[in-house]
Amino acid sequence: LVAVEGLLRVYDYQNPGCLFLETEVFANLDQDLKRSICWDNNNLKWSYDPYLHLEPNQHYVTINTNQDGFRGKEISLEKPLDTFRVFVVGGSTAFGVGSSSDSSTIPGYLQKQYDFNSELNVEVINVGIPKAYSYSNALLIKKNLINFEPDLLIIYSGWNDLARSSEDSHTYNPAGNVPSSPILKIFRFLINNGYYQSVNILFTNYENWKIGISEQLKTPPFDYSEQMAKNWQNTWSEICELGKSNNFD
């Protein structure tokens, strides 16, 4: 077991298990930075109770979460005077999976634009969460974000909803269609533990291999997609109504 662990760690060091690193976007990046991007995303931790959220105070080379579990710098619960507060809500794209830093994400670039071009004091906060879908985003807003006095929510979601069952998309079941059996719990523990990483490395490379041999992206049936779209619309319509009563757009 020790020998296998050693060999797999050497292999993983030489071949980080993140498929996005193979795209031309990363062609001119330093190999050590690419390795850090992959490892940081793989080591990111989140919780499902009482709603899907990132664990606070995580600090890696390319990713930091603050005391509230938001990506980036610390913010105050009470909004500073003369500040326009913007939350960018969504899944891995809003969060910035594959980004080289907290500032090279969609919210990070938006903050730079306001800092450079606006006389207003605009605060852009990244609350994207990998694996998040519309209903888990809505729970985060209702249970947490409204306490931070938002002025504007920018929503970038929808893709992760299609990975769920139509019944599950409008309820809070973070595991989706995945059954929760004792064997599965043991497997998840082996994948997520920070000590013996062989299972995680093997599983990651197996998943990458499956993606590599698939000929095309599978698209859901039309009726299914229509139902998911209605659930998605209903969720955000509810948040729009919440915005009217809590003074945010």
Side-chain angles (χ1 to χ4, degrees), residues 189-244:
F189 170 78
L190 291 174
I191 287 180
N192 294 325
N193 85 91
Y195 301 99
Y196 193 73
Q197 299 178 20
S198 293
V199 177
N200 182 35
I201 295 171
L202 288 171
F203 179 73
T204 298
N205 281 274
Y206 170 71
E207 289 292 302
N208 290 344
W209 173 78
K210 281 203 310 181
I211 294 172
I213 64 172
S214 62
E215 296 182 358
Q216 60 183 10
L217 189 67
K218 295 181 179 178
T219 55
F222 177 77
D223 291 343
Y224 172 80
S225 298
E226 283 290 293
Q227 182 59 52
M228 299 301 290
K230 290 178 182 177
N231 292 348
W232 183 92
Q233 180 184 25
N234 291 337
T235 298
W236 293 120
S237 294
E238 182 182 349
I239 296 301
C240 286
E241 291 301 316
L242 181 68
K244 292 177 182 178

Side-chain angles (χ1 to χ4, degrees), residues 68-242:
D68 301 298
F70 309 149
R71 183 169 187 175
K73 65 181 183 180
E74 299 292 341
I75 65 169
S76 60
L77 179 62
E78 184 178 354
K79 183 172 61 180
L81 294 176
D82 302 322
T83 295
F84 189 83
R85 184 168 271 183
V86 180
F87 285 97
V88 181
V89 183
S92 56
T93 310
F95 172 79
V97 167
S99 299
S100 58
S101 68
D102 299 330
S103 60
S104 57
T105 60
I106 293 173
Y109 284 121
L110 184 60
Q111 182 69 71
K112 290 177 185 177
Q113 288 294 317
Y114 279 122
D115 291 344
F116 185 73
N117 295 314
S118 176
E119 296 180 358
L120 295 172
N121 182 22
V122 180
E123 189 176 46
V124 183
I125 303 162
N126 187 345
V127 293
I129 304 172
K131 297 187 179 182
Y133 61 110
S134 58
Y135 197 78
S136 68
N137 285 147
L139 280 178
L140 177 69
I141 294 167
K142 290 187 284 188
K143 303 291 186 181
N144 190 357
L145 299 189
I146 58 173
N147 299 321
F148 287 85
E149 304 174 80
D151 294 292
L152 176 68
L153 302 182
I154 299 178
I155 312 298
Y156 188 4
S157 80
W159 178 256
N160 288 347
D161 289 64
L162 289 175
R164 317 186 72 80
S165 70
S166 58
E167 296 81 11
D168 176 52
S169 68
H170 209 52
T171 58
Y172 182 58
N173 177 7
N177 294 323
V178 179
S180 183
S181 66
I183 295 177
L184 183 61
K185 290 179 180 178
I186 293 172
F187 184 65
R188 283 177 175 167
F189 170 78
L190 291 174
I191 287 180
N192 294 325
N193 85 91
Y195 301 99
Y196 193 73
Q197 299 178 20
S198 293
V199 177
N200 182 35
I201 295 171
L202 288 171
F203 179 73
T204 298
N205 281 274
Y206 170 71
E207 289 292 302
N208 290 344
W209 173 78
K210 281 203 310 181
I211 294 172
I213 64 172
S214 62
E215 296 182 358
Q216 60 183 10
L217 189 67
K218 295 181 179 178
T219 55
F222 177 77
D223 291 343
Y224 172 80
S225 298
E226 283 290 293
Q227 182 59 52
M228 299 301 290
K230 290 178 182 177
N231 292 348
W232 183 92
Q233 180 184 25
N234 291 337
T235 298
W236 293 120
S237 294
E238 182 182 349
I239 296 301
C240 286
E241 291 301 316
L242 181 68

Side-chain angles (χ1 to χ4, degrees), residues 52-69:
L52 182 64
H53 64 280
L54 290 171
E55 292 284 356
N57 300 316
Q58 299 185 68
H59 301 289
Y60 303 108
V61 175
T62 64
I63 298 173
N64 296 279
T65 63
N66 64 20
Q67 63 182 359
D68 301 298

Side-chain angles (χ1 to χ4, degrees), residues 21-56:
L21 294 179
E22 299 174 8
T23 66
E24 61 183 16
V25 174
F26 297 89
N28 298 320
L29 250 62
D30 176 82
Q31 186 64 25
D32 288 336
L33 178 56
K34 290 198 288 186
R35 190 177 291 114
S36 293
I37 291 171
C38 182
W39 285 350
D40 294 351
N41 281 280
N42 288 344
N43 290 325
L44 195 66
K45 297 177 177 63
W46 52 83
S47 298
Y48 295 110
D49 186 33
Y51 46 80
L52 182 64
H53 64 280
L54 290 171
E55 292 284 356

